[in-house]
Amino acid sequence: MENEKTKKNFKIFLAAVVTISLVINLLLISKVNELNNRIDYVSSEQQNLHHSVNNQSGEVQQLFNQFKEELSWLGPVEMNVNTNALGEGQAQAVFKWQVKERQRDSKVFFHYATGTNTEFKKLQAEGGEQGLFQAKVPITVKLEPLWDVKVLESGSNMEEMSETVKEEQLYSLKYFVSVESEDNVKSSEVQSESLDYLGTNQYGILQGDIHSRGKKASVTLMQHKISGETSVIEEASLLKYQDGTFIGEELLKLEEDQEDNFRLFELHEISPYEEDMRFVIKVVYRDGAVFESEVIH
């Protein structure tokens, strides 16, 4: 009898312990969920605060730049290029700006240098109303394509265009403005404008690859047209040299069904082909212009 009573009490105690444990677990789960919700809320608020601070910083920076520009003695310098004579390799860059403050006896000058020149030429600016000035700079343009030709070994990446181009094809214009009086000279910072597009607009960008596969090789040449004014290639060929001696020329075949923005030429197998050969790609344009470029190993 006593044993049965003891067992009954133990069962009641065990049930109570389990019930209390379940209640505690449920409370803990509820607290954990509440804590997670609070963490998510705090994280969301932090992100919102971060975005708000970034937006406010951007607005402050924009206002600061506007305020700085208003206080500056010189307005932004704008450049426009007249390409009416581009067919003769000539163009004219017209620069316009506003001088917001200067002495009555002061003169305004435009200084410029082209390419790798370090010596700046000096032009007296043409004055207008409300402190507006301009300068006209003659530009001699190299009318030629921008070449990117190379030898690719089997397995090389053939998708991306090489960033290396001929140094002589890099053409830029550096310039600054000065306001000079008897007792004071103020100069703006030197700025630079790339003018490569003036030449490539006429003949485009040429990407040429010799795909080497052991004792065999093929050639791919693609003309990327810059605009509707770009002259197209009518004929492309590969010139072959062995030990400095010209040994032959092979025509590249124009692939049909070309898209408007490029033309593709191919030579499926160079015959003969030796790794020590020197190769030059020659192109003939519809307007009669002829250009050549050696393939870089």
Side-chain angles (χ1 to χ4, degrees):
M1 199 66 185
E2 186 69 28
N3 287 337
E4 291 180 0
K5 186 176 180 180
T6 301
K7 289 180 179 180
K8 185 177 181 180
N9 291 337
F10 178 77
K11 289 180 179 179
I12 293 172
F13 172 77
L14 185 61
V17 170
V18 171
T19 302
I20 293 172
S21 176
L22 289 174
V23 171
I24 292 174
N25 285 335
L26 289 174
L27 289 174
L28 286 175
I29 291 173
S30 176
K31 292 292 185 182
V32 169
N33 289 335
E34 183 180 354
L35 181 60
N36 285 334
N37 290 334
R38 288 184 178 181
I39 291 174
D40 290 339
Y41 175 78
V42 171
S43 177
S44 177
E45 287 298 308
Q46 285 181 335
Q47 290 180 359
N48 292 335
L49 180 61
H50 181 70
H51 291 314
S52 177
V53 170
N54 285 342
N55 290 336
Q56 291 179 2
S57 298
E59 292 175 358
V60 169
Q61 184 64 42
Q62 185 177 1
L63 291 173
F64 175 76
N65 290 338
Q66 292 177 352
F67 178 72
K68 183 179 178 181
E69 184 177 336
E70 290 175 357
L71 291 180
S72 173
W73 60 274
L74 180 70
V77 181
E78 299 178 355
M79 182 187 80
N80 291 303
V81 180
N82 184 344
T83 58
N84 291 337
L86 193 58
E88 290 82 39
Q90 300 296 321
Q92 184 183 67
V94 180
F95 294 85
K96 296 183 179 181
W97 66 92
Q98 181 183 28
V99 177
K100 298 179 180 179
E101 60 178 48
R102 67 188 185 97
Q103 300 177 12
R104 285 188 176 183
D105 63 339
S106 63
K107 295 181 180 179
V108 181
F109 295 95
F110 184 82
H111 309 255
Y112 71 95
T114 57
T116 57
N117 293 329
T118 56
E119 185 176 344
F120 283 77
K121 295 182 180 180
K122 183 177 181 180
L123 296 176
Q124 184 163 352
E126 302 172 13
E129 297 179 354
Q130 300 178 343
L132 298 174
F133 291 86
Q134 72 171 17
K136 298 177 181 178
V137 178
I139 300 171
T140 300
V141 182
K142 269 190 173 182
L143 294 180
E144 61 181 10
L146 185 63
W147 289 91
D148 175 37
V149 289
K150 57 191 177 297
V151 174
L152 292 174
E153 300 293 338
S154 178
S156 299
N157 183 7
M158 293 177 272
E159 297 296 328
E160 296 183 2
M161 181 177 293
S162 171
E163 296 180 359
T164 59
V165 294
K166 291 183 177 180
E167 289 293 333
E168 60 266 23
Q169 289 180 309
L170 298 177
Y171 186 59
S172 63
L173 179 69
K174 300 182 288 292
Y175 61 89
F176 67 93
V177 171
S178 69
V179 176
E180 304 177 11
S181 60
E182 291 184 357
D183 56 354
N184 188 29
V185 176
K186 288 192 295 187
S187 298
S188 67
E189 294 182 357
V190 176
Q191 300 182 60
S192 180
E193 294 283 351
S194 173
L195 301 174
D196 287 333
Y197 69 93
L198 293 175
T200 55
N201 187 64
Q202 185 80 8
Y203 295 111
I205 299 173
L206 303 187
Q207 182 183 5
D209 302 317
I210 291 183
H211 310 278
S212 173
R213 302 179 303 278
K215 291 295 184 180
K216 294 184 178 181
S218 60
V219 184
T220 300
L221 176 68
M222 181 178 292
Q223 179 194 17
H224 300 267
K225 294 192 286 185
I226 306 301
S227 70
E229 299 176 357
T230 303
S231 180
V232 298
I233 297 175
E234 289 288 3
E235 184 180 288
S237 59
L238 181 72
L239 308 182
K240 300 175 293 185
Y241 296 84
Q242 183 79 52
D243 297 326
T245 302
F246 175 72
I247 62 173
E249 178 178 0
E250 292 189 77
L251 288 177
L252 278 63
K253 180 183 177 182
L254 173 65
E255 295 298 314
E256 301 298 334
D257 301 324
Q258 300 291 314
E259 295 185 12
D260 291 338
N261 61 341
F262 68 84
R263 285 168 73 82
L264 177 64
F265 294 81
E266 289 185 319
L267 175 62
H268 295 296
E269 184 174 352
I270 301 174
S271 179
Y273 173 74
E274 298 292 341
E275 291 185 357
D276 61 347
M277 280 184 174
R278 185 171 68 89
F279 299 101
V280 173
I281 292 180
K282 182 177 77 172
V283 291
V284 180
Y285 282 82
R286 183 170 293 172
D287 63 3
V290 180
F291 299 101
E292 295 183 359
S293 179
E294 183 171 354
V295 182
I296 301 173
H297 283 270

